[in-house]
Amino acid sequence: MEPKSVTRLQPDIQEQKPRRRYVFLMSTPALLGLFMFLVIPFFMAVGMSFTDQRLLSPNETSWVGLRNYDRLLNVSGMVQEPVRDEAGQLVLDGDGQVEYPRLRTLLRSDPAMADYKLFSSWDLGEKRYIVLAKDPHFIQSFINTLLFVLLVVPLQCGLALALALLINRQLRGIFLYRTVFFSPVVTSIVVVSIVWSFLYHKDLGLFNHYLQAMSFGLIGPIDWLGDPAWSMPSIVIMSAWQAAGVQMLIFLAGLQGISPDLYEAADLDGAGPWSKFWHITLPGLRNTVVFVVISTTIQAFGLFTQVDVMTQGGPQGSTSTVMYHAVTKGFREQDIAYGSAISVIFFLVILGIALFQKRLFDSKGDK
Amino acid sequence: MSVKHLKTLGWYLFLTGIGYVFLFPLLFMLVSSLKPEQAIFADLYSIRAILPVGELSLDNYRQVFEKSNVSLYFWNSLFITVGTVIMGLFVNSLLAFTLSRMSWRGQKLVLAVVIALMIIPLEAIVVPLLLLASKLPSIGWEGGMLVLKSSWLNTLHVQMLPFVANSFFIFLFYQFFRDIPKDFDEAAELDGATPFQIYRHIIVPMSGPVFATVAILHFLLMWNQYIWPIMAVQGEDARPLMPGIQIFFGRQSSWGEIMAYASLVTLPVLAVFLMFQKKFVTSLAGAGIKG
């Protein structure tokens, strides 16, 4: 070990310089890439969301302050009284329905309300309650995305856990089943969406065939992708089926981390399978569950491809999502500034979820 | 047969039933691509839907090649994917090497920034990235000569360069390199090896697993790219497979042809998956846990 310490002791200044050059040469390509294509676009998104930037435009870009965000997030409400004649009686329209003042005329007459459009309305008692938004499509897309997340996360995570429990046993050839359950993951979501569009087909599709056969024709054909009530659930089912394989593997790793001694002890106490699942498996998987749920949630918020291939946001906007709206505005309508504002809101939601996850993990560390 | 055997058999039957649900769309796609249109519908409601029976031919594939420029899209996809993965392996592992095995000023900060960047999803930056790409100048090949183009849109490299450096892959490399004992590099350093030689001759040969993991993840990511190419590539010349099949699907082509196209897009990945399936599975699970 003699020579080592000798070399170490030499304050070799000449050696430091080329070393620094190596650090520079070896780290620059990746750092440049991250900077150019991640950091810059990110700050561009923030900056441009306060402008009226367009993809191609002869006009100069100018600052518009919070106008884009106002357009996105501004929601307002109003209550309408029905129309009454001079005697104070309700006026009925041709169909015998109570008549209300025309909303469009009302909004146009008031300059402060001119930017609002109808989002939703319902009649209650002798009043009409109206929700207005400056961009009703965005509000709807946001609600659709939340709906997708709320449906797909439990379904996908539950399915993944069930599959993991299924294949976590000593059976010969079990790896074959693991490969099979996993195979949709390596199939492109574009291809999956196309093949499932066929299975979902109203007249020819397989799902309606089985549904009718199993219900003896009682349940009529469902227009899976064409009915606003079914379109989002249809995308949910397909998405959970396609992606569950990844979470299945993560759960499987979690299951294999639980000590077998616990199960043996439970067996000695005469615990049944349910009790073992509730008292050993689930608590043992706590970290894994938190991680899987959060990462699935983050992924689900970015829903775009399935929608673009299968429904293009329809029918009646029932499958439009935040990302779909961002691409429609920012790219198809070339309103980069508005698309950027949507991207910023999207990022803030993701950041919120990630911080929430961090808090969950941190608080666990304290215990 | 004993009760135990019956129970085992029951498990196999149950697992096979569930496996059927997961495999059906894939098998149906592959099998239907070989059948004439009427046979697809005739076979749909029986087990024949996933069996290659009846009159089989490659007609659908022939039609796909005739109606769509699928071989061009295929080579575009392959070039984009392979090129990006190779550049990515190199570039990302080099940065991870300097972060994990050398010490320099600002290193901790750079590492923290790289980790923080993992939170930004691609979706959050595609819109501004589109504007950026439309403003970057590039050199292109047009009509047998080099020309200066005023934008990166509609090129192959616009689909590659933004995706070479990846903070998540840098992090995977970093974790792996960090855990390799330092004795090796120290000995090599004494022998006068440069950092690059240490990287090349010591770290890389010891890091096969992480290179394979990143290669697989990056391959899947690039091959399945969709949102970016539909925005950045409008013309045919640089179009990859995923937008290609989506356009073909939107044209109301026959289902047999669509299934043939879908099979063409899927088969290369499926082949790679089946060859390295164990590696695939551990990579994706491991990446999930660490991410």
Side-chain angles (χ1 to χ4, degrees):
Chain A
M1 285 285 103
E2 192 69 6
K4 190 171 179 175
S5 51
V6 172
T7 341
R8 271 278 168 82
L9 285 173
Q10 285 175 353
D12 207 331
I13 294 160
Q14 280 140 331
E15 249 189 46
Q16 281 306 312
K17 229 177 158 184
R19 259 182 75 87
R20 222 178 295 156
R21 193 178 304 153
Y22 273 106
V23 168
F24 180 77
L25 284 175
M26 294 168 88
S27 62
T28 305
L31 289 177
L32 196 70
L34 290 177
F35 186 72
M36 275 279 290
F37 301 114
L38 196 57
V39 177
I40 289 188
F42 177 74
F43 285 108
M44 278 171 78
V46 177
M48 286 190 310
S49 68
F50 300 105
T51 70
D52 59 3
Q53 177 77 47
R54 297 189 62 83
L55 188 57
L56 300 162
S57 167
N59 301 333
E60 287 224 4
T61 305
S62 55
W63 294 96
V64 298
L66 287 169
R67 198 182 72 191
N68 289 320
Y69 291 100
D70 177 60
R71 210 173 120 200
L72 276 172
L73 301 173
N74 202 322
V75 178
S76 179
M78 61 194 273
V79 182
Q80 272 188 334
E81 297 283 343
V83 181
R84 287 175 195 274
D85 57 19
E86 283 134 30
Q89 289 297 308
L90 292 176
V91 176
L92 301 183
D93 65 9
D95 301 330
Q97 300 288 322
V98 179
E99 200 173 311
Y100 288 91
R102 268 179 65 92
L103 185 66
R104 193 179 292 174
T105 336
L106 212 68
L107 292 178
R108 278 208 193 129
S109 64
D110 184 356
M113 301 299 286
D115 288 341
Y116 286 99
K117 295 178 194 80
L118 176 69
F119 173 65
S120 174
S121 78
W122 61 95
D123 297 348
L124 202 69
E126 279 185 359
K127 285 196 170 76
R128 172 170 283 181
Y129 296 86
I130 295 176
V131 179
L132 299 162
K134 287 194 177 171
D135 184 353
H137 291 298
F138 176 72
I139 305 295
Q140 192 184 5
S141 301
F142 198 87
I143 292 172
N144 289 342
T145 311
L146 282 182
L147 177 72
F148 176 76
V149 170
L150 285 178
L151 291 175
V152 86
V153 170
L155 185 65
Q156 187 173 330
C157 297
L159 180 64
L161 180 57
L163 291 174
L165 289 168
L166 267 181
I167 56 171
N168 185 32
R169 61 188 70 243
Q170 307 291 332
L171 273 184
R172 200 191 300 200
I174 197 76
F175 76 93
L176 197 71
Y177 291 99
R178 190 186 63 180
T179 307
V180 166
F181 298 157
F182 189 73
S183 59
V185 176
V186 296
T187 315
S188 146
I189 188 70
V190 178
V191 167
V192 167
S193 301
I194 289 173
V195 174
W196 277 64
S197 297
F198 183 85
L199 303 179
Y200 274 140
H201 197 285
K202 186 177 173 230
D203 304 317
L204 309 165
L206 201 69
F207 291 123
N208 277 338
H209 174 76
Y210 281 140
L211 205 62
Q212 279 176 301
M214 280 192 297
S215 67
F216 302 104
L218 284 178
I219 303 178
I222 295 173
D223 194 357
W224 295 97
L225 295 173
D227 180 343
W230 281 105
S231 50
M232 192 53 105
S234 302
I235 292 182
V236 167
I237 294 169
M238 181 194 77
S239 305
W241 171 89
Q242 195 259 349
V246 175
Q247 285 83 31
M248 170 190 80
L249 293 177
I250 300 171
F251 276 130
L252 190 63
L255 286 173
Q256 285 163 353
I258 301 174
S259 161
D261 299 352
L262 291 172
Y263 290 105
E264 278 170 31
D267 279 335
L268 288 179
D269 293 344
W274 270 112
S275 143
K276 277 192 278 187
F277 178 75
W278 278 112
H279 296 111
I280 302 173
T281 312
L282 269 190
L285 284 179
R286 189 186 181 277
N287 287 1
T288 319
V289 170
V290 171
F291 169 75
V292 164
V293 167
I294 300 276
S295 60
T296 312
T297 307
I298 289 179
Q299 261 175 27
F301 261 101
L303 174 67
F304 173 80
T305 307
Q306 295 92 308
V307 170
D308 196 55
V309 175
M310 298 176 92
T311 59
Q312 292 84 46
Q316 293 161 41
S318 61
T319 56
S320 179
T321 62
V322 172
M323 266 323 291
Y324 192 78
H325 198 57
V327 172
T328 306
K329 290 289 171 189
F331 164 60
R332 293 188 178 126
E333 294 174 18
Q334 308 217 332
D335 192 346
I336 292 274
Y338 199 60
S340 294
I342 300 174
S343 304
V344 170
I345 290 174
F346 172 73
F347 173 73
L348 289 177
V349 171
I350 300 292
L351 186 69
I353 301 168
L355 291 177
F356 177 69
Q357 173 191 28
K358 196 170 175 300
R359 268 193 61 181
L360 269 183
F361 273 119
D362 286 353
S363 67
K364 212 166 46 223
D366 293 342
K367 274 181 206 163
Chain B
M1 234 196 292
S2 69
V3 176
K4 199 177 162 222
H5 277 119
L6 267 177
K7 220 177 148 188
T8 312
L9 186 72
W11 273 116
Y12 277 120
L13 282 177
F14 186 55
L15 282 166
T16 308
I18 300 199
Y20 181 76
V21 173
F22 278 85
L23 222 46
F24 178 85
L26 206 60
L27 289 176
F28 172 70
M29 170 188 86
L30 292 171
V31 165
S32 301
S33 73
L34 299 167
K35 291 179 182 172
E37 200 74 355
Q38 317 87 286
I40 297 176
F41 295 115
D43 292 352
L44 186 60
Y45 306 129
S46 68
I47 189 74
R48 290 169 67 94
I50 55 162
L51 294 178
V53 289
E55 186 192 327
L56 303 178
S57 75
L58 291 173
D59 283 349
N60 288 327
Y61 289 87
R62 230 166 275 137
Q63 288 294 321
V64 167
F65 276 98
E66 226 164 73
K67 290 183 185 170
S68 167
N69 216 338
V70 65
S71 48
L72 173 71
Y73 305 160
F74 181 85
W75 289 115
N76 285 342
S77 272
L78 197 68
F79 182 80
I80 292 163
T81 303
V82 172
T84 311
V85 171
I86 290 173
M87 285 190 281
L89 285 177
F90 199 62
V91 159
N92 292 322
S93 67
L94 278 174
L95 175 59
F97 175 84
T98 66
L99 288 174
S100 58
R101 310 204 59 93
M102 300 178 76
S103 55
W104 39 285
R105 212 181 332 149
Q107 182 183 29
K108 285 225 170 76
L109 178 72
V110 170
L111 179 64
V113 169
V114 167
I115 290 173
L117 287 179
M118 294 202 304
I119 184 64
I120 307 180
L122 169 68
E123 286 93 346
I125 56 148
V126 279
V127 172
L129 193 59
L130 183 70
L131 182 73
L132 181 68
S134 75
K135 302 229 149 130
L136 290 169
S138 77
I139 296 166
W141 190 257
E142 226 164 64
M145 53 195 280
L146 283 174
V147 287
L148 195 68
K149 291 182 174 178
S150 61
S151 111
W152 274 26
L153 300 183
N154 296 315
T155 60
L156 288 173
H157 65 257
V158 77
Q159 301 171 72
M160 303 170 72
L161 296 180
F163 308 103
V164 171
N166 181 307
S167 51
F168 178 53
F169 299 153
I170 294 168
F171 184 66
L172 288 182
F173 277 123
Y174 168 81
Q175 277 188 317
F176 194 93
F177 293 167
R178 189 189 53 190
D179 298 339
I180 297 175
K182 289 258 180 347
D183 319 5
F184 298 102
D185 342 12
E186 276 165 14
E189 222 175 315
L190 288 179
D191 291 341
T194 65
F196 186 75
Q197 283 169 326
I198 295 174
Y199 163 83
R200 173 74 189 80
H201 296 291
I202 296 174
I203 301 300
V204 173
M206 293 177 80
S207 308
V210 70
F211 274 90
T213 297
V214 173
I216 284 171
L217 294 174
H218 211 168
F219 172 82
L220 281 178
L221 187 76
M222 294 307 296
W223 186 263
N224 294 334
Q225 283 255 42
Y226 180 74
I227 188 168
W228 179 243
I230 64 165
M231 292 170 75
V233 179
Q234 297 289 295
E236 276 226 301
D237 293 345
R239 183 180 296 157
L241 277 174
M242 294 309 157
I245 188 175
Q246 201 273 337
I247 290 166
F248 191 77
F249 175 62
R251 266 195 231 137
Q252 308 284 325
S253 318
S254 87
W255 281 105
E257 288 163 21
I258 291 169
M259 295 303 163
Y261 207 136
S263 304
L264 279 173
V265 171
T266 311
L267 281 173
V269 190
L270 214 57
V272 177
F273 169 57
L274 290 177
M275 267 190 286
F276 302 107
Q277 69 108 346
K278 204 159 193 176
K279 190 65 216 166
F280 255 72
V281 166
T282 45
S283 296
L284 279 146
I289 292 160
K290 283 165 198 152

